[in-house]
């Protein structure tokens, strides 16, 4: 197994609001990037420039800037950011291989990782900061693999699918029919279904089920919630139906899964 080390305390992270840092200004000062920069945008805002390339900023955008790049932005902008020093490691190899920007349905997850790192800095907790950074980088790696598998999808199609996934995650306890999800992204069910399948290589309903199983698995091993309550919170119509679906995906009932994971404690 490959191993690597990094000093998370050398990495800089935070939340940026140009209204506070550059009040009354319409453009930020030009600067040369001296580290690898990752920026997560939780809302639509201004335009940022990488060299001469203008990039309109919108919610869900993850942007990467390489060392040596000239940067400035038309204000206002707000973002979460992570700056990683240049070093020879799998981390910088990953950042070098990322596109200039991509749309993500998991911008809130990335923001939570940055917030965890900020909390760790306040507490002086290196381990907590490292954990937050590794979670963020691990998810970036997964998204990179998804981007590579997308192929010929247009930016608009990718945005539609990411918006739909965000809607699914925010409404996990609800029924979330194909018609409802398609309506949220302002497309016909048939056209939305074809776009989603083109990009994710599965149907919207199968993807929604995978999200539900993933969340249910998390709740089973991190909480004492009753299985019926987990089924309800994850959008399953009954405990019996939840058990059948969970068994299909894991070859275990929810109760068996919970016990198996807890038994690892006494190994």
């Amino acid at each position: 197994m490959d191993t690597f080390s990094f000093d998370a305390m050398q990495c800089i992270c935070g939340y940026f609001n140009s209204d506070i840092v550059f009040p009354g200004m319409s453009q930020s000062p030009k600067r040369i990037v001296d580290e690898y920069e990752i920026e997560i945008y939780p809302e639509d805002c201004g335009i940022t420039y990488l060299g001469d390339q203008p990039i309109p900023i919108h919610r869900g955008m993850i942007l990467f800037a390489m060392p040596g790049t000239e940067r400035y932005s038309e204000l206002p902008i707000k973002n979460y950011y992570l700056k990683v020093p240049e070093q020879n490691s799998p981390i910088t190899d990953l950042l070098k291989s990322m596109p200039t920007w991509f749309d993500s349905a998991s911008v809130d997850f990335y923001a939570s990782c940055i917030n965890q790192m900020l909390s760790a800095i306040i507490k002086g907790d290196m381990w907590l900061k490292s954990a937050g950074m590794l979670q963020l980088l691990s998810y970036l790696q997964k998204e990179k693999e998804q981007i590579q598998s997308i192929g010929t999808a247009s930016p608009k199609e990718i945005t539609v699918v990411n918006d739909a996934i965000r809607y699914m995650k925010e409404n996990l306890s609800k029924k979330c029919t194909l018609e409802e999800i398609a309506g949220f992204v302002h497309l016909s069910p048939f056209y939305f279904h074809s776009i989603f399948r083109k990009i994710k290589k599965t149907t919207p309903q199968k993807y929604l089920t995978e999200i539900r199983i993933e969340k249910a698995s998390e709740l089973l091993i991190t909480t004492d919630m009753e299985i019926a309550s987990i089924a309800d919170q994850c959008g399953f119509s009954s405990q019996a139906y939840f058990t059948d679906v969970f068994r299909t995906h894991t070859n275990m009932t929810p109760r068996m899964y919970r016990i198996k994971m807890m038994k690892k404690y006494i190994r």
Side-chain angles (χ1 to χ4, degrees):
M1 179 182 294
D2 292 335
T3 60
F4 66 92
S5 61
F6 72 99
D7 184 356
M9 299 309 283
Q10 290 185 9
C11 300
I12 301 171
C13 64
Y15 175 74
F16 178 81
N17 183 339
S18 65
D19 290 339
I20 296 174
V21 180
F22 302 124
M25 293 178 60
S26 61
Q27 180 179 299
S28 66
K30 291 185 178 182
R31 62 186 177 88
I32 301 297
V33 176
D34 58 4
E35 298 175 301
Y36 293 92
E37 297 183 352
I38 307 170
E39 295 181 350
I40 298 105
Y41 290 92
E43 60 185 72
D44 298 342
C45 40
I47 298 175
T48 193
Y49 291 82
L50 297 182
D52 295 328
Q53 180 184 9
I55 303 175
I57 298 169
H58 53 270
R59 171 175 164 76
M61 173 186 284
I62 312 292
L63 181 141
F64 300 85
M66 300 295 112
T69 305
E70 182 180 67
R71 290 206 60 189
Y72 68 96
S73 300
E74 294 179 13
L75 308 179
I77 60 169
K78 297 178 182 179
N79 63 43
Y80 293 89
Y81 63 87
L82 174 64
K83 298 186 178 185
V84 181
E86 285 198 78
Q87 54 183 312
N88 294 319
S89 77
I91 294 175
T92 48
D93 288 344
L94 169 63
L95 299 182
K96 289 176 184 177
S97 68
M98 297 302 295
T100 302
W101 66 271
F102 67 88
D103 284 327
S104 173
S106 302
V107 64
D108 293 335
F109 170 79
Y110 288 113
S112 71
C113 291
I114 298 294
N115 285 333
Q116 177 178 325
M117 295 174 70
L118 289 172
S119 175
I121 292 170
I122 294 170
K123 297 174 182 177
D125 188 334
M126 177 187 69
W127 299 108
L128 184 62
K129 184 177 181 183
S130 298
M133 182 169 176
L134 287 173
Q135 285 186 80
L136 187 153
L137 293 169
S138 174
Y139 213 86
L140 276 182
Q141 175 65 42
K142 293 178 182 178
E143 297 225 270
K144 174 192 170 186
E145 293 168 0
Q146 292 176 359
I147 291 168
Q148 291 174 336
S149 70
I150 286 173
T152 59
S154 70
K156 184 177 181 180
E157 289 174 329
I158 296 170
T159 298
V160 163
V161 170
N162 283 331
D163 286 346
I165 292 172
R166 189 177 301 116
Y167 178 83
M168 293 178 192
K169 290 181 177 180
E170 292 174 352
N171 296 275
L172 205 60
S173 63
K174 300 179 181 179
K175 190 175 181 181
C176 284
T177 65
L178 175 63
E179 290 73 18
E180 290 170 345
I181 302 170
F184 178 74
V185 294
H186 308 294
L187 296 176
S188 71
F190 178 80
Y191 185 43
F192 166 67
H193 186 279
S194 66
I195 290 175
F196 195 97
R197 187 159 191 168
K198 171 184 176 182
I199 292 177
K200 302 307 290 185
K201 314 303 180 186
T202 188
T203 68
Q205 290 303 320
K206 286 182 179 179
Y207 192 89
L208 177 58
T209 298
E210 291 173 3
I211 295 174
R212 285 175 166 156
I213 292 297
E214 182 178 322
K215 182 62 178 179
S217 301
E218 176 187 332
L219 293 174
L220 283 167
I221 64 175
T222 61
T223 75
D224 294 327
M225 289 176 63
E226 297 289 336
I227 291 176
S229 297
I230 292 176
D232 182 65
Q233 184 167 323
C234 294
F236 294 95
S237 57
S238 69
Q239 181 176 338
Y241 178 59
F242 169 48
T243 298
D244 287 344
V245 175
F246 195 90
R247 184 191 288 116
T248 299
H249 280 74
T250 66
N251 293 319
M252 290 179 281
T253 67
R255 182 175 181 276
M256 291 167 59
Y257 178 82
R258 174 175 266 173
I259 292 173
K260 179 181 179 180
M261 298 305 291
M262 288 188 177
K263 279 187 174 180
K264 290 185 177 182
Y265 172 75
I266 57 175
R267 286 179 62 182

